Amino acid sequence: SIDYFNLLFDSDDSIEIGKDITSIDHLNFEGVKNYSDQIEAAKTKTQLSDAVTVKYGKINNINTVVCAMDFSFIGGSMGSVVGEKIYRAIEYANSNKLPLFIITSSGGARMQEGVYSLMQLAKISTKLAEFSDNGGLYIVLLTDPSTGGITASFGMQGDIILAEPNALIG
């Protein structure tokens, strides 16, 4: 995956938000592979705690909150941890009057979490509306792929919406 933080931030002294939040198997989901095993395999494969990383740092000397989704972590799917990390990012940007930049890369909601996953879409959209009402600047970069509930919710709520050339968006 692309390390957007190294590309965007002026230096390496960024601060990660929500680093210790990790997914659990609320529903005791069992498919071909149980969900707890999927989470652990994704953590090992990607060296990430979940499908989004949130950091605060400077872009062109402007303090900014950046959320970068990673498709290699269970298809970049949105579960309760992704929702909580993005929610905290919006709260941090809102309370500190900082711009928010979200880079999407997702197949949609994480089916292994059922309604917990779907609830994140409304949770984030509501927080973004509050952020917007408070004058916050929200920029989105849709990367390949950006599909499902992510696109249907916060992917299309930006003040500025950018997309990678030839990105699958749906």
Side-chain angles (χ1 to χ4, degrees):
S1 75
I2 297 172
D3 187 352
Y4 287 103
F5 302 107
N6 283 334
L7 289 172
L8 294 170
F9 287 146
D10 298 346
S11 65
D12 291 340
D13 63 350
S14 61
I15 299 167
E16 189 166 346
I17 298 170
K19 182 178 183 176
D20 298 327
I21 306 171
T22 185
S23 293
I24 60 170
D25 188 358
H26 298 285
L27 305 177
N28 296 318
F29 185 88
E30 291 185 25
V32 175
K33 190 175 188 183
N34 78 43
Y35 183 41
S36 295
D37 291 342
Q38 287 177 323
I39 293 167
E40 290 309 312
K43 284 179 180 179
T44 300
K45 173 185 166 189
T46 64
Q47 299 300 300
L48 299 171
S49 64
D50 215 298
V52 71
T53 302
V54 176
K55 291 188 178 184
Y56 157 79
K58 290 185 185 246
I59 299 175
N60 201 25
N61 211 32
I62 299 170
N63 292 324
T64 308
V65 177
V66 177
C67 307
M69 299 185 78
D70 193 318
F71 193 79
S72 63
F73 194 104
I74 311 177
S77 55
M78 162 86 92
S80 55
V81 168
V82 171
E84 182 62 21
K85 285 184 173 188
I86 294 174
Y87 182 90
R88 289 183 186 193
I90 300 165
E91 267 192 338
Y92 190 85
N94 195 25
S95 64
N96 292 286
K97 306 273 188 241
L98 302 174
L100 173 68
F101 185 33
I102 298 179
I103 302 162
T104 66
S105 181
S106 178
R110 196 172 293 172
M111 68 176 189
Q112 298 92 326
E113 292 190 25
V115 74
Y116 292 110
S117 175
L118 296 175
M119 288 170 29
Q120 305 311 308
L121 304 172
K123 175 180 168 177
I124 290 170
S125 292
T126 301
K127 199 66 176 171
L128 281 172
E130 178 185 312
F131 182 63
S132 179
D133 288 347
N134 290 333
L137 173 62
Y138 170 41
I139 301 169
V140 172
L141 172 61
L142 304 169
T143 69
D144 184 46
S146 289
T147 62
I150 279 63
T151 303
S153 62
F154 65 87
M156 293 298 163
Q157 287 182 275
D159 298 306
I160 299 170
I161 302 172
L162 307 168
E164 278 184 333
N166 302 313
L168 173 65
I169 300 167

